[in-house]
Amino acid sequence: MNATMGAHRADRATQVAGSMSLAAEVRAKCFALVGDAVDVLVSCHAAHKGYLSGYFSIVHDLNPRYLSAVVATRDRVALVVSASDAGPALEETGDPAALFRYGFFCFEQVDGTGADGYDAAGFASFDEALLAALREVAGDARTIGIDRSGDDRAWNVIAQGMKTRFLTDITDAITRARRHKLPGEVARVRQATRLVETGLLDVARQFAPGMTEQDMAAIIAAGMVAGGAIPRFVSVTSGPRSALADAYATARRVAPGDLIRIDAGCIYQGYASDMARTFVFGEPDAEQVRCYAAIRAGIDYELEVIREGVDVAGLFDETVRVVRENGIPSYRRQHVGHGIGLGGGYDMPVLNPHAKDRLEAGMCLCVETPYYRIGWGGMMIEDTILVTPDGHEPITTIPRDLIRLG
């Protein structure tokens, strides 16, 4: 037992060290983008706090209005957290001096005493803790860069509490930093994707007549958790329900001839996956084969032409055209893919007809050509890739075939 616990502690220490190292690389990239004039970065955005510090908090999932912040210079970083969040934050950072705790929460130690970062006296409010963190970490820094993603709470608090400092908006710099992934970020997206792939393959292996959508969703979610990830969404829809985009799994039993569309993603150490495959119970009929061949042609084309410098709007137009010409003349889409990275939502760009972007090396993209026909069913192929100068590197690895069950 002691050997097992020691191995777990070693694994955890390695994971934490990796997260802190990646966050340091991210901060260096962000400071390079904002320039020498900015002395300190501040963000209250849930995903960006983790992006810059390496600590991703479950409290944000419990309460989207939870107030926290990261304050970072080129060589120091501090977190402003609630009293309840202090324990997990301390576990991740290992540095009580880097935590500025506010509010009240009760922790008790086995010896009856408190511990720094847990029961140490905190600040009465988030605003007070944020200003204290800035004074401690930023020192005499004159220019404070504030990420205004989401709201202006930090901007307003600092403008009132530190009137002698100059404030500048760094929202655009953070957005630009997220577009291109560091190797450590790609590794996390890759692992999150691998866990979904494993779940889809497990569904294919374990499928049995009488299974429900929820049975299949449970197989996928269990694999995510066992792999150290957090299920983000597991959409399993079958038969006519497969035409419902982004719907929860139900107790509906899969019937022979049904299409089963599975679109799923998880978050691994702060980074997201998003991929999809389509199954059919038994032999597909002619209409299912025809439609699947069309969306497969579309995504195959998309993957063939993607590389640095490709015009996004043109890529959208041509992908839709290929699907139409290969079997679905009425095919329409609002986009054929999107950036992927932090677990807080899409990264840029979105591959839609209105985009002004060109693809750049280092972007992680989810490319997709779903088809939804109400009353008939839906099908979907979605892959994750890394854009390179002359093409792409696959992150999703399992075949894009229509998967036959039973």
Side-chain angles (χ1 to χ4, degrees):
M1 177 64 73
N2 289 338
T4 300
M5 291 178 63
H8 288 167
R9 283 196 293 269
D11 289 344
R12 177 62 177 154
T14 299
Q15 177 183 320
V16 169
S19 295
M20 297 299 105
S21 176
L22 177 57
E25 292 182 62
V26 165
R27 292 194 298 274
K29 179 167 67 168
C30 290
F31 272 111
L33 287 170
V34 299
D36 294 338
V38 177
D39 304 306
V40 58
L41 309 177
V42 178
S43 180
C44 293
H45 187 278
H48 294 170
K49 185 193 72 175
Y51 187 50
L52 294 166
S53 73
Y55 173 58
F56 294 89
S57 170
I58 195 173
V59 184
H60 282 292
D61 295 329
L62 298 172
N63 178 11
R65 293 180 293 177
Y66 165 53
L67 295 173
S68 67
V70 59
V71 177
T73 65
R74 286 171 174 79
D75 55 7
R76 292 188 65 186
V77 63
L79 288 168
V80 179
V81 297
S82 70
S84 66
D85 202 17
L90 179 60
E91 178 188 44
E92 193 78 11
T93 65
D95 183 7
L99 301 182
F100 291 77
R101 167 183 170 275
Y102 70 92
F104 179 74
F105 196 85
C106 300
F107 290 104
E108 188 170 307
Q109 301 297 309
V110 292
D111 61 1
T113 62
D116 287 344
Y118 289 86
D119 288 338
F123 295 90
S125 69
F126 167 78
D127 295 0
E128 290 181 23
L130 175 59
L131 293 174
L134 266 168
R135 294 186 180 104
E136 173 66 25
V137 174
D140 296 329
R142 303 300 303 169
T143 302
I144 300 172
I146 302 178
D147 171 24
R148 302 174 79 170
S149 304
D151 62 47
D152 272 341
R153 178 66 174 261
W155 183 281
N156 294 333
V157 169
I158 297 168
Q160 289 298 314
M162 305 183 78
K163 295 182 179 180
T164 60
R165 310 298 176 97
F166 178 74
L167 309 187
T168 186
D169 188 339
I170 61 166
T171 308
D172 180 65
I174 297 288
T175 301
R176 284 185 287 129
R178 287 181 57 172
R179 289 169 65 94
H180 309 92
K181 304 302 182 292
L182 297 166
E185 295 179 280
V186 176
R188 284 158 174 77
V189 172
R190 191 182 302 280
Q191 176 63 4
T193 302
R194 186 189 70 79
L195 293 173
V196 181
E197 290 185 309
T198 299
L200 294 173
L201 295 174
D202 286 343
V203 165
R205 282 191 292 265
Q206 298 177 35
F207 180 80
M211 269 192 171
T212 68
E213 295 171 351
Q214 290 169 339
D215 292 333
M216 291 183 278
I219 292 170
I220 296 168
M224 293 173 178
V225 175
I230 303 163
R232 182 174 174 231
F233 66 99
V234 182
S235 179
V236 180
T237 53
S238 62
R241 293 197 75 246
S242 60
L244 306 178
D246 303 324
Y248 285 115
T250 69
R252 182 186 187 278
R253 296 188 185 280
V254 178
D258 278 351
L259 291 168
I260 303 112
R261 186 180 56 82
I262 302 181
D263 185 9
C266 61
I267 298 175
Y268 179 78
Q269 296 182 18
Y271 286 79
S273 58
D274 181 3
M275 64 166 292
R277 288 293 185 267
T278 303
F279 301 74
V280 61
F281 184 6
E283 289 297 316
D285 62 31
E287 183 70 355
Q288 291 168 341
V289 170
R290 179 182 69 83
C291 292
Y292 196 83
I295 68 168
R296 173 69 184 268
I299 198 169
D300 285 350
Y301 168 81
E302 199 171 359
L303 291 169
E304 180 183 348
V305 302
I306 279 177
R307 56 183 41 81
E308 185 173 43
V310 167
D311 175 66
V312 170
L315 175 65
F316 171 89
D317 291 339
E318 288 301 297
T319 300
V320 170
R321 178 189 62 77
V322 168
V323 176
R324 288 174 176 171
E325 291 181 354
N326 280 273
I328 308 177
S330 61
Y331 188 72
R332 296 181 301 164
R333 278 292 292 164
Q334 69 275 22
H335 70 74
V336 294
H338 55 83
I340 190 79
L342 289 177
Y346 288 177
D347 269 355
M348 297 300 288
V350 177
L351 310 183
N352 66 37
H354 311 294
K356 306 300 182 184
D357 296 274
R358 290 187 176 274
L359 297 182
E360 302 168 20
M363 289 178 169
C364 278
L365 301 178
C366 292
V367 293
E368 56 183 304
T369 51
Y371 178 55
Y372 311 107
R373 190 195 302 176
I374 298 299
W376 176 76
M379 46 182 53
M380 186 175 188
I381 311 169
E382 184 173 20
D383 275 16
T384 304
I385 62 168
L386 174 68
V387 179
T388 64
D390 56 359
H392 74 275
E393 177 184 326
I395 293 177
T396 306
T397 62
I398 63 176
R400 292 186 289 276
D401 302 327
L402 180 61
I403 303 168
R404 303 178 187 188
L405 302 176

